Amino acid sequence: AEIRAYFRNQSAQQLRDMAAAQLAKTTGEIQKLYEIKRLFEQIVTVTQDGLSADAGQVTIQTLPPEHLLYSSQRIGGLQENPQRWWDIYSSFLQETGSSGAVYVGSVIAQDKLEAGQYGQIDRLFIRCAGTEHAGVLREGGDYAVIYHKGDYDGLPKTYDRLLAEIRRLGWLI
């Protein structure tokens, strides 16, 4: 419709306006593709790490500093219904201004973790790639890392193994 209108009444102003509008649309589409690319890169990296890791074995890894954005809403138990999880997830994405393809992780509060209440998710988080001062800084350094392979029913044993190793090393949670 815009092109037909332009050819009926050609003007440099109309051409510039039409090109500017298309440029804005194209920029938005490129941004969406960049977000999708970044998500796929994260999936490839995390999946490769998981595939090459010994399941259930604690390793000490030096991780770089990273900024994370946390949800303000406390989540609760894993037994929540799927609609509630979708509502929480959607609300978190709106809260952070995220759109498109975004990797969202979850956090168990320290007191819940130490009490063995592994099904109590405290908050959601996203990584802040490319934004140096956004979110909360997770300090770089040595971290105890474990990969779980299997269903959710096996997670408590994996968490127990991780916590036992952290305590054995004399580290703080």
Side-chain angles (χ1 to χ4, degrees):
E2 289 179 35
I3 293 175
R4 278 190 221 133
Y6 168 73
F7 281 114
R8 277 189 235 124
N9 185 17
Q10 296 178 14
S11 74
Q13 179 69 33
Q14 191 174 4
L15 178 62
R16 187 196 62 81
D17 292 347
M18 187 175 63
Q22 290 304 313
L23 181 61
K25 287 179 185 177
T26 303
T27 300
E29 292 301 314
I30 289 170
Q31 181 61 33
K32 288 178 190 174
L33 287 172
Y34 174 74
E35 291 170 3
I36 292 169
K37 178 183 178 276
R38 194 173 75 215
L39 176 64
F40 283 139
E41 288 171 343
Q42 288 177 337
I43 290 170
V44 166
T45 300
V46 169
T47 303
Q48 184 57 46
D49 288 349
L51 288 172
S52 62
D54 290 329
Q57 297 299 314
V58 178
T59 61
I60 306 305
Q61 295 181 13
T62 302
L63 301 178
E66 184 174 35
H67 285 85
L68 306 171
L69 280 176
Y70 292 98
S71 63
S72 59
Q73 182 177 3
R74 304 292 186 194
I75 307 302
L78 287 175
Q79 56 275 24
E80 300 288 343
N81 69 51
Q83 182 60 49
R84 175 147 163 68
W85 274 104
W86 178 252
D87 292 345
I88 290 167
Y89 174 84
S90 298
S91 174
F92 176 54
L93 291 181
Q94 287 179 348
E95 180 182 328
T96 61
S98 301
S99 63
V102 179
Y103 175 87
V104 177
S106 59
V107 176
I108 300 173
Q110 181 178 347
D111 61 327
K112 302 290 188 205
L113 191 63
E114 290 174 340
Q117 297 174 349
Y118 308 129
Q120 296 293 314
I121 301 301
D122 188 52
R123 294 178 182 218
L124 300 177
F125 74 90
I126 58 172
R127 292 178 167 97
C128 303
T131 52
E132 292 182 21
H133 302 293
V136 176
L137 177 66
R138 185 207 65 209
E139 297 290 334
D142 291 339
Y143 287 84
V145 176
I146 193 167
Y147 287 89
H148 173 77
K149 294 180 183 176
D151 59 23
Y152 287 111
D153 293 337
L155 272 174
K157 288 182 183 178
T158 301
Y159 283 127
D160 288 340
R161 194 172 297 119
L162 176 64
L163 292 173
E165 182 64 14
I166 290 171
R167 289 182 183 111
R168 187 189 72 74
L169 292 169
W171 287 11
L172 299 175
I173 295 176

